[in-house]
Amino acid sequence: VYSRFIEIGRVILINKGPCAGKLAVICDIVDQNRVLADGPVTGVPRHAVNFKHFSLTDFTIGIAPGARAGAVTKAWKKADVEKKWAATSWAKKIARSKTRASLNDFQRFVVKVNRQKRSRIINRELKKLNKP
């Protein structure tokens, strides 16, 4: 059962192109393959986006078909989309992968050592619990 639909006011995450990784709103449906997306708050210019180049989020905002940038901005801020998005596990996962990708060699080494330490502590406690 689907719960996310392509509809006017649906918040989307753009996956491909120059605006990849940014949130936008569907302002209008162009045809069976494209929508008109706008993200005045996130820096996404109004343009047509192919269905294959974005992902639908759980969020919708109340805008009229073909709403202009000012109306979209007002509805975006009223719905507090960025705060809701930051609280999702999807956004946290994206942020975590960006952080990991920006680590240098020593920082990756520190992450590895900390994972080993955590694993040793967990295994030690597990062995204590399993002893008769």
Side-chain angles (χ1 to χ4, degrees):
V1 178
Y2 297 108
S3 59
R4 300 175 186 164
F5 301 103
I6 293 178
E7 58 186 324
I8 294 170
R10 174 70 61 182
V11 178
I12 59 173
L13 176 69
I14 299 176
N15 298 323
K16 285 187 177 181
C19 299
K22 293 182 180 180
L23 293 175
V25 179
I26 296 176
C27 294
D28 210 347
I29 298 170
V30 178
D31 58 23
Q32 64 187 11
N33 294 316
R34 296 177 300 157
V35 296
L36 187 66
D38 192 9
V41 178
T42 57
V44 177
R46 181 176 288 239
H47 67 291
V49 184
N50 194 310
F51 287 174
K52 296 174 184 176
H53 296 174
F54 64 82
S55 300
L56 300 171
T57 66
D58 288 331
F59 310 117
T60 57
I61 61 175
I63 59 170
R68 294 169 70 172
V72 173
T73 303
K74 196 178 289 186
W76 182 281
K77 289 182 180 175
K78 183 180 178 189
D80 204 18
V81 174
E82 290 190 1
K83 187 176 179 184
K84 290 178 186 175
W85 170 251
T88 63
S89 59
W90 188 1
K92 290 175 186 174
K93 182 179 176 182
I94 291 170
R96 185 171 51 246
S97 65
K98 282 184 181 177
T99 303
R100 286 265 172 101
S102 68
L103 295 179
N104 63 28
D105 188 41
F106 179 71
Q107 291 168 329
R108 281 193 298 276
F109 172 75
V110 170
V111 168
K112 182 190 91 162
V113 169
N114 288 335
R115 287 180 66 203
Q116 288 174 338
K117 286 179 183 177
R118 183 182 69 201
S119 182
R120 285 188 192 114
I121 292 169
I122 291 170
N123 288 334
R124 197 177 309 129
E125 293 300 318
L126 192 61
K127 285 178 183 176
K128 286 181 187 176
L129 291 174
N130 288 338
K131 280 188 177 179

